[in-house]
Amino acid sequence: MFASRKAKTEMQKAKDMQAKQREELLRALKARFEKHMNRHKGLEWAKVKAKLEANTKKLWSLNEMERTGGEPDVVGHDKKTGEYMFFDCSAESPKGRRSVCYDREGLESRKEHKPGNNAIDMAAAMGIEILTEEQYRELQKLGNFDAKTSSWVKTPSEIRKLGGAIFADFRYGNVFVYHNGAQSYYGSRAFRGSLRV
């Protein structure tokens, strides 16, 4: 009897923690939304919040984006589907996702000094997509991002088949897209993600 009561108490604590975590995330997202209205002109937080509260799985993904330093924010609204688009909007490439190869194949091709993870698998585990080059350029219209860092972007299959992967950054007032071997990794490179809610 005592053991089951204790188990129920532990379960309640876990639920309360989840509720508390959700509230903290929603508070952070709301503050960011209101601080950067230029990223989502004409959109209302109440409608975004209602969508988020109705989709706990997406809320979990946003929490992962937040936890790893992505500072997700709304950057658009798809009128056809009614979905809101979130991008990682941290000034520099997210700290909690740096020093990763582009994908698993790149990671496994390294003979030594393997990093702990790769961008494609990390994004999939978080339930998000890596920004495409086009999305990255759209993000840069909303501010200056990656002035000191760089971010892997979704690599076209024809480039990837040849062993390469592409990344982007912002230098000298311009967006630059360049390439590396998919097995390479740097302390100043992570990836930015997108999520539709």
Side-chain angles (χ1 to χ4, degrees):
M1 182 73 181
F2 176 73
S4 68
R5 193 181 302 140
K6 189 177 178 188
K8 279 182 184 172
T9 306
E10 290 302 315
M11 278 176 61
Q12 190 58 48
K13 274 186 192 171
K15 279 184 183 172
D16 291 344
M17 177 60 193
Q18 287 171 345
K20 186 181 173 195
Q21 200 174 20
R22 272 200 302 273
E23 286 309 308
E24 283 173 8
L25 175 63
L26 287 169
R27 238 190 330 271
L29 292 172
K30 181 182 186 213
R32 191 171 298 128
F33 184 92
E34 290 172 347
K35 185 178 178 184
H36 301 282
M37 291 305 290
N38 64 303
R39 295 175 184 163
H40 33 253
K41 287 177 185 150
L43 299 183
E44 297 170 43
W45 171 251
K47 290 180 180 176
V48 176
K49 185 183 179 195
K51 278 269 192 193
L52 291 172
E53 289 177 328
N55 199 328
T56 52
K57 203 172 176 184
K58 298 287 176 96
L59 206 53
W60 180 85
S61 292
L62 280 169
N63 194 60
E64 287 298 287
M65 291 168 86
E66 185 74 20
R67 185 182 64 77
T68 55
E71 298 178 25
D73 197 7
V74 179
V75 296
H77 181 237
D78 187 328
K79 288 181 179 151
K80 284 183 188 169
T81 64
E83 293 173 309
Y84 291 96
M85 179 66 83
F86 283 82
F87 283 179
D88 284 308
C89 292
S90 53
E92 301 299 340
S93 205
K95 277 188 180 166
R97 306 181 213 159
R98 293 184 189 173
S99 297
V100 293
C101 294
Y102 177 72
D103 60 9
R104 177 160 296 282
E105 191 184 336
L107 177 64
E108 288 174 354
S109 73
R110 287 194 72 90
K111 301 283 186 276
E112 54 187 2
H113 308 298
K114 291 188 180 198
N117 213 334
N118 69 84
I120 297 294
D121 286 355
M122 271 184 94
M126 294 166 71
I128 63 175
E129 297 282 332
I130 289 184
L131 292 190
T132 63
E133 180 183 342
E134 184 184 3
Q135 288 172 324
Y136 189 88
R137 289 182 184 280
E138 286 301 312
L139 173 67
Q140 292 286 7
K141 290 176 186 173
L142 303 175
N144 295 341
F145 302 92
D146 288 339
K148 297 176 188 158
T149 56
S150 62
S151 297
W152 288 116
V153 291
K154 198 156 180 77
T155 299
S157 57
E158 58 273 16
I159 294 174
R160 188 60 200 92
K161 279 178 197 165
L162 298 171
I166 58 174
F167 67 92
D169 60 25
F170 185 81
R171 303 289 194 275
Y172 308 109
N174 284 277
V175 175
F176 289 91
V177 176
Y178 207 64
H179 61 85
N180 264 137
Q183 76 282 2
S184 62
Y185 67 96
Y186 299 90
S188 60
R189 183 177 308 152
F191 67 92
R192 292 177 182 274
S194 69
L195 180 72
R196 295 175 80 94
V197 182

